[in-house]
Amino acid sequence: MIEQIKTYDNNVLAITVIDGFTETDEKFYQKLFEDKIEKGFDKVNILIKLDEIKLSLSSTKAFWDDTVWALHNYKKMGHLAIVAHSKILKALVPIDNLFFERASAGRLERYFDVSQLDEAFAFVEQN
């Protein structure tokens, strides 16, 4: 299930994934993102908190569809903060930055431990 952690009137989207990530959650997230674009923002800064996710309750199809959607909408994404407590995610973020470096003008992805949530908010709230 996805919930908004905070709501913003600007280009920031802050969500948390609790328990599983399903196809319904994927559609809800995409709608939140598209609402920001429809309000006239060229890029959306995103904070995703994943420390409560349970992969056993998540849909592989939802993850795959979300990945494909993200690749199609990559240029509309601004800063991305991944908040979790995961050595795997912490290692993947620098690889993402390296892989997308050429297409990432003005965009940065950063990993934050759950204890750094305030820093993650400050990161995505930058203009």
Side-chain angles (χ1 to χ4, degrees), residues 43 71 73-78 96-108:
K43 295 195 183 287
L71 290 171
N73 290 279
Y74 186 77
K75 292 190 178 193
K76 297 177 187 175
M77 294 180 188
D96 277 359
N97 279 324
L98 196 69
F99 183 71
F100 291 109
E101 185 175 16
R102 296 178 102 184
S104 297
R107 181 195 172 279
L108 184 60

Side-chain angles (χ1 to χ4, degrees), residues 111-123:
Y111 172 88
F112 296 88
D113 186 79
V114 175
S115 64
Q116 300 172 304
L117 185 59
D118 290 338
E119 292 173 45
F121 277 116
F123 173 70

Side-chain angles (χ1 to χ4, degrees), residues 48-114:
I48 302 175
K49 187 173 176 268
L50 297 170
D51 67 311
E52 296 181 46
I53 193 169
K54 292 180 178 73
L55 294 178
S56 62
L57 298 177
S58 298
S59 162
T60 305
K61 182 177 181 341
F63 276 116
W64 175 255
D65 289 349
D66 188 61
T67 300
V68 170
W69 178 87
L71 290 171
H72 283 107
N73 290 279
Y74 186 77
K75 292 190 178 193
K76 297 177 187 175
M77 294 180 188
H79 290 334
L80 176 61
I82 305 294
V83 180
H85 190 70
S86 167
K87 291 179 182 178
I88 294 170
L89 287 174
K90 186 176 184 177
L92 288 176
V93 167
I95 294 169
D96 277 359
N97 279 324
L98 196 69
F99 183 71
F100 291 109
E101 185 175 16
R102 296 178 102 184
S104 297
R107 181 195 172 279
L108 184 60
E109 181 177 350
R110 284 189 51 198
Y111 172 88
F112 296 88
D113 186 79
V114 175

Side-chain angles (χ1 to χ4, degrees), residues 10-34:
N10 61 7
N11 69 328
V12 176
L13 178 59
I15 62 170
T16 186
V17 181
I18 302 168
D19 292 331
F21 181 73
T22 66
E23 292 173 50
T24 302
D25 297 321
E26 173 207 358
K27 298 296 181 208
F28 178 61
Y29 166 74
Q30 290 174 7
K31 179 172 179 358
L32 292 173
F33 185 91
E34 289 303 323

